[in-house]
Amino acid sequence: MSNGNFSLSKEKINFLLLEGIHDRSQEYIRRAGYNSIDSHKAAPERADLEQLIAEAHFIGIRSRTRLDADMLARAERLNAIGCFCIGTDQVDLAEARRRGIPVFNAPYANTRSVAELVLGEVIMLMRGVPAKNMACHRGLWHKSAIGSHEVRGKVLGIVGYGHIGSQLGILAEGLGMKVVYHDILDKLPLGNAEAAAGLDDLLSRADLVSLHVPDTEQTRGMMDRIALARMRPGSHLINASRGKVVDIDALADALRNGHIAGAAIDVFPVEPSSAEEEFLSPLRGLDNVLLTPHIGGSTREAQENIAVEVAAKLVRYSDNGSTMGAVNFPEVSLPDHAGARRIMNIHRNEPGVLQAINGIISQAGVNIAAQYLQTMPDVGYVVMDVEAEDTPGLVAELDRISATIRTRYLY
Ligand code: NAI
């Protein structure tokens, strides 16, 4: 079954942007030559969305718009989805793939924002600022150097040396800290950072431990009672990664009994779903803890980065067919196709499809200048740069292959 082919000129391509996506995205899309942009401040009601999505070739959403299988069934023209955020749980990714729709997001646009917040917390914790701040608010004057330290020369232990962890390491070295890290992958150290022999080694050496791992079966509960006990007496813990990585009750105990001197926690095992819901945590009321409401990545700059990164991915897919960075789709990175005509075929990954595609092309006596193919178990994506006069005719034939989901071409 074909979803219909899509080979429109730019003025006929509709972008639907929802949930007040930052203006920079519109600027980017317009500059790329697309002027049909319907932008909405809020997430539309379901019935309204059903109407809007039927006309859209590209849609940009944030976290409140649900694109489930029923909604995607209404999106007959839709070619790609941009999630202008980090998460993509709001989209039925497998169904989108089955319909030949790649989904893009911006997983690393807020890396710097998280690293900067953590760096600030490193200094605050080493000076005991959270408790001193609380005391001042209560009218107390705890003017003392006890338990206060410069960060220069201290050991920062980074667990998860990915985008955020490695950037934090560089910033911390700028303050004269010694950085040790632990990662399950062999990661090349940046600057003078040193790989620890393992998590236990890191915990036993660090004055401050900062967590930057994803939420996986392996990391859930990683900082449990035993791991917390392995941290140096009087050391500090920062978690701006995912809430379930730390056993929060065990942490509250370790903070109360002083084994851990202080903590800065931005993410929690259970978080309120809206501003109306009360934030409940065993860490509330502990003066030596800096609590923030999951704002590690929430800055104006990160929002701008997200707007441009996702808009660029949508435009690139429309202009050139590249799917690099798609979270649900075979990833193909394509050069420009100056002088050639590009045909893109998305198909169910069944035996014989490629043969059928190549058969049609060779029967037409058309020369293929370049061909790119990537597959996932259920879906394949093949891109061909061809020297053909009658590209629409070829596209129509490719569309007739029973496994074809969608074919389009570009000049
Ligand atoms: P990333 O994928 O670049 O890095 C994660 C690193 O952790 C990788 O190097 C990976 O190999 C490593 N890792 C995975 N399992 C591990 C294990 N069991 N032990 C040790 N290392 C392990 O991710 P990125 O962008 O650096 O993000 C890190 C975390 O920060 C993620 O959980 C992300 O959700 C969270 N985050 C939180 C934000 C906030 O607002 N607080 C904003 C952005 C990201």
Side-chain angles (χ1 to χ4, degrees):
M1 180 202 71
S2 165
N3 227 2
N5 73 51
F6 165 68
S7 307
L8 298 172
S9 54
K10 287 192 175 186
E11 61 270 21
K12 293 202 177 121
I13 294 178
N14 303 325
F15 279 77
L16 173 63
L17 301 180
L18 305 177
E19 302 188 55
I21 290 166
H22 197 285
D23 289 344
R24 288 284 300 276
S25 62
Q26 278 204 51
E27 284 167 26
Y28 189 98
I29 293 164
R30 275 188 208 287
R31 232 181 300 128
Y34 298 90
N35 287 309
S36 173
I37 304 175
D38 183 13
S39 173
H40 298 245
K41 284 269 167 265
E45 294 297 330
R46 201 171 168 92
D48 295 334
L49 182 58
E50 283 173 2
Q51 304 224 318
L52 288 167
I53 206 167
E55 300 300 317
H57 298 103
F58 291 90
I59 186 170
I61 60 169
R62 292 174 68 184
S63 55
R64 285 196 301 276
T65 304
R66 283 195 63 74
L67 297 181
D68 53 24
D70 287 344
M71 189 56 78
L72 291 172
R74 314 251 170 186
E76 290 201 347
R77 300 181 178 187
L78 199 61
N79 267 258
I81 296 170
C83 295
F84 285 72
C85 48
I86 310 296
T88 52
D89 298 347
Q90 67 281 40
V91 180
D92 186 333
L93 297 176
E95 179 62 16
R97 179 173 60 251
R98 277 194 290 276
R99 291 182 171 277
I101 302 171
V103 178
F104 299 96
N105 68 339
Y108 304 117
N110 58 10
T111 297
R112 172 72 185 203
S113 302
V114 181
E116 282 191 12
L117 178 71
V118 170
L119 190 72
E121 291 172 341
V122 166
I123 299 175
M124 294 294 129
L125 289 173
M126 292 297 281
R127 299 294 288 270
V129 168
K132 291 187 171 80
N133 169 60
M134 290 308 292
C136 283
H137 278 289
R138 294 190 196 110
L140 302 168
W141 193 246
H142 289 171
K143 183 171 161 52
S144 157
I146 295 169
S148 268
H149 299 278
E150 292 182 349
V151 299
R152 179 170 47 171
K154 301 301 179 299
V155 178
L156 174 61
I158 297 176
V159 183
Y161 198 61
H163 287 79
I164 297 171
S166 57
Q167 182 148 166
L168 170 66
I170 293 287
L171 295 175
E173 281 195 351
L175 292 173
M177 297 191 82
K178 166 82 196 143
V179 174
V180 293
Y181 65 88
H182 163 64
D183 201 292
I184 40 167
L185 301 179
D186 282 335
K187 293 280 175 124
L188 212 61
L190 300 181
N192 294 317
E194 180 198 332
L199 180 61
D200 289 353
D201 177 45
L202 178 144
L203 297 177
S204 69
R205 287 164 68 186
D207 297 297
L208 227 139
V209 174
S210 192
L211 307 173
H212 299 287
V213 290
D215 181 45
T216 66
E217 225 167 272
Q218 241 185 327
T219 61
R220 246 163 266 148
M222 178 186 225
M223 293 306 292
D224 58 8
R225 225 166 264 282
I226 298 167
L228 291 168
R230 288 196 173 121
M231 286 175 62
R232 294 178 55 166
S235 59
H236 301 81
L237 181 73
I238 299 178
N239 186 17
S241 63
R242 297 296 290 269
K244 295 198 171 120
V245 175
V246 177
D247 176 339
I248 213 84
D249 292 308
L251 175 64
D253 289 344
L255 285 159
R256 265 189 227 101
N257 69 30
H259 176 65
I260 293 184
I265 307 294
D266 186 49
V267 289
F268 304 86
V270 181
E271 296 179 0
S273 56
S274 72
E276 281 69 51
E277 212 178 297
E278 185 178 352
F279 165 61
L280 299 168
S281 170
L283 301 178
R284 263 176 56 179
L286 295 176
D287 282 6
N288 49 352
V289 186
L290 201 53
L291 295 174
T292 46
H294 203 148
I295 43 86
S298 307
T299 61
R300 289 281 299 272
E301 289 76 7
Q303 290 301 315
E304 283 184 29
N305 291 343
I306 288 169
V308 173
E309 185 176 330
V310 180
K313 286 175 178 168
L314 293 178
V315 164
R316 196 161 163 71
Y317 180 60
S318 181
D319 282 356
N320 134 320
S322 286
T323 49
M324 281 313 285
V327 295
N328 67 332
F329 213 75
E331 287 187 89
V332 177
S333 177
L334 301 166
D336 286 340
H337 56 291
R341 293 176 183 203
R342 178 163 287 173
I343 297 178
M344 290 153 287
N345 174 275
I346 303 167
H347 52 264
R348 285 191 300 283
N349 191 9
E350 296 169 359
V353 184
L354 205 59
Q355 211 178 356
I357 292 173
N358 285 334
I360 288 171
I361 305 281
S362 73
Q363 274 225 320
V366 166
N367 185 39
I368 301 180
Q371 189 172 40
Y372 313 85
L373 169 75
Q374 281 297 335
T375 58
M376 289 175 83
D378 54 348
V379 166
Y381 181 39
V382 61
V383 180
M384 292 162 289
D385 289 345
V386 294
E387 290 154 8
E389 287 305 314
D390 181 20
T391 323
L394 269 181
V395 167
E397 285 214 42
L398 292 173
D399 233 12
R400 277 198 283 276
I401 297 174
S402 64
T404 288
I405 298 171
R406 172 193 302 264
T407 313
R408 69 179 173 118
Y409 69 92
L410 299 167
Y411 284 103

